[in-house]
Amino acid sequence: MSDSASLPLSLFDYHLPDELIAQHPAQTRTGSRLMHLDAQGQCHDHSFTELPHFLRAGDLLVFNNTQVIKARLHGQKESGGKVEVLIERIVNEHAALAHIRASKAPKPGTRLIFSEGDLVLTVTGRDDALFEVEFDQPALDALERFGALPLPPYITHNAEQTDEDRYQTVYAQHPGAVAAPTAGLHFDQPLLQHLQDQGVQIAFVTLHVGAGTFQPVRVEQITDHQMHAERYTVPAATLAAIAQTRAAGNRVIAVGTTSVRALESAAQPEKTQGILLSNGDIQGDTRIFITPGYQFQCIDALITNFHLPQSTLLMLVSALAGIEPIRAAYHHAVQMHYRFFSYGDAMFIEKFNS
């Protein structure tokens, strides 16, 4: 997919002081800062409320409208041992794949008890590092009743009422994600309306973000990294909007790396297990790994947050903007005390003109 065999993992590392990891959202959704990384690789400091200045009538913004589910459960095995379950993916109405933390890995047939027996999960098998579990009631309803919001591992407090609102986009529609598409957290309804009044077009994809999004790459040769799979849908209406935008010579701008992954997967379905449905939607499970050297099929620019060191998402933005411009921008962000990760500040990145 790209010629990245010669790129060492160290190119995608950087030092981040702990105090720059945002533990809580800004006071308002649009209250964060915005770094503009232009097509020449230069960075400029702004506020997120200035985003409309960088967008033009006819531009198409593509958002991920997945909804974060209350995917974390605390309970016990039938034998009494404590257990923590993090649902990774809903498979069907009663089945899911999950990470399970316990003193001993549960075997098939093990019953897991939550909320004093109001919810029971049965382990039915393994799928690599994940456990297959069966709910004794509809899974999404049960998680809404008994689950907790799965905040990222670098956020140190348990989910609070504020998080249930702010760790969810205002346009979330399709439940299934275990992590928020965080670039979208900066948008409120007045800003969305302002952009549409300005002539900016809006479209949606759905990609259910998995916990694997937080996993660092642990192999020195990044081409050896095995990507996690995520379910995506790109609606026919979005495909048509992209075609119209392209035909008019305007830009397709992804809001978040998850939107990039969905769009780029749909642009090459033969490589990303995408299927064209009868209604014109493209749907599939993508393991797309975008690294420097990748030729973007679909997007011209990206709105995104700052990403973890040695992560696949840092490699993705480096593919769009160039390795050195991203390294310089992140160094600048640390020096200027930008706030990092899910509740942090944002970047507007234009594709690098080399």
Side-chain angles (χ1 to χ4, degrees):
M1 200 160 286
S2 65
D3 183 17
S4 51
S6 61
L7 297 178
L9 185 59
S10 58
L11 280 177
F12 307 98
D13 199 9
Y14 65 93
H15 173 68
L16 180 67
D18 288 344
E19 62 268 21
L20 297 186
I21 300 174
Q23 295 296 321
H24 298 276
Q27 190 169 2
T28 62
R29 285 188 180 269
T30 60
S32 66
R33 297 164 73 188
L34 178 70
M35 181 191 292
H36 174 211
L37 185 59
D38 67 27
Q40 286 70 48
Q42 301 299 309
C43 52
H44 314 273
D45 303 315
H46 298 276
S47 63
F48 199 82
T49 53
E50 295 177 84
L51 177 67
H53 299 320
F54 305 113
L55 303 179
R56 305 189 286 265
D59 283 343
L60 176 68
L61 285 181
V62 183
F63 296 86
N64 180 7
N65 62 7
T66 188
Q67 181 178 326
V68 183
I69 57 176
K70 296 180 181 179
R72 196 179 301 280
L73 295 162
H74 291 93
Q76 61 189 51
K77 297 179 185 176
E78 203 166 29
S79 59
K82 288 185 178 180
V83 65
E84 178 182 327
V85 173
L86 176 63
I87 300 300
E88 169 75 16
R89 179 170 181 167
I90 302 295
V91 176
N92 58 45
E93 187 180 13
H94 286 85
L97 295 174
H99 304 269
I100 297 180
R101 293 176 62 180
S103 55
K104 286 180 61 178
K107 296 178 181 178
T110 301
R111 283 160 47 91
L112 309 177
I113 314 298
F114 304 92
S115 192
E116 298 180 343
D118 289 340
L119 171 64
V120 177
L121 270 60
T122 303
V123 178
T124 58
R126 291 290 292 267
D127 184 349
D128 292 330
L130 300 172
F131 292 84
E132 298 167 344
V133 295
E134 189 83 15
F135 285 71
D136 67 347
Q137 54 197 276
L140 286 174
D141 292 345
L143 291 172
E144 184 60 31
R145 283 187 65 195
F146 305 113
L149 196 72
L151 290 177
Y154 45 74
I155 290 180
T156 56
H157 66 270
N158 293 326
E160 303 163 355
Q161 189 64 45
T162 302
D163 297 301
E164 295 198 12
D165 173 48
R166 294 296 300 278
Y167 195 64
Q168 196 83 264
T169 64
V170 296
Y171 46 80
Q173 187 174 357
H174 300 292
V178 301
T182 55
L185 299 179
H186 301 284
F187 291 82
D188 59 14
Q189 291 295 355
L191 177 58
L192 291 170
Q193 187 60 55
H194 177 85
L195 292 171
Q196 289 177 290
D197 292 344
Q198 184 179 318
V200 175
Q201 306 299 306
I202 287 176
F204 295 95
V205 298
T206 305
L207 184 141
H208 293 316
V209 192
T213 193
F214 302 117
Q215 292 298 315
V217 175
R218 293 191 172 92
V219 291
E220 184 54 37
Q221 292 299 327
I222 63 176
T223 47
D224 294 335
H225 177 68
Q226 294 296 309
M227 284 293 291
H228 58 289
E230 291 170 317
R231 189 76 171 165
Y232 76 92
T233 303
V234 179
T238 298
L239 294 169
I242 291 168
Q244 291 166 5
T245 301
R246 286 258 176 264
N250 294 317
R251 300 179 298 175
V252 176
I253 301 168
V255 178
T257 55
T258 58
S259 296
V260 176
R261 287 170 52 75
L263 291 171
E264 293 294 320
S265 296
Q268 43 190 334
E270 70 286 350
K271 294 183 180 179
T272 57
Q273 299 185 345
I275 298 170
L276 181 64
L277 304 182
S278 58
N279 64 357
D281 296 357
I282 294 179
Q283 188 176 84
D285 282 325
T286 183
R287 293 180 179 268
I288 192 169
F289 188 14
I290 297 175
T291 58
Y294 178 87
Q295 298 299 308
F296 286 88
Q297 309 288 306
C298 215
I299 71 156
D300 303 293
L302 168 65
I303 298 165
T304 188
N305 282 21
F306 292 91
H307 301 293
L308 292 159
Q310 299 187 354
S311 66
T312 61
L313 302 183
L314 189 56
M315 295 169 191
L316 184 156
V317 297
S318 298
L320 184 69
I323 295 172
E324 289 308 319
I326 287 292
R327 286 172 62 85
Y330 272 58
H331 177 75
H332 177 79
V334 170
Q335 296 299 110
M336 297 297 292
H337 294 92
Y338 275 74
R339 301 168 75 243
F340 279 66
F341 306 157
S342 295
Y343 276 153
D345 296 316
M347 298 180 75
F348 177 67
I349 303 175
E350 296 183 85
K351 191 185 295 184
F352 182 58
N353 291 332
S354 54

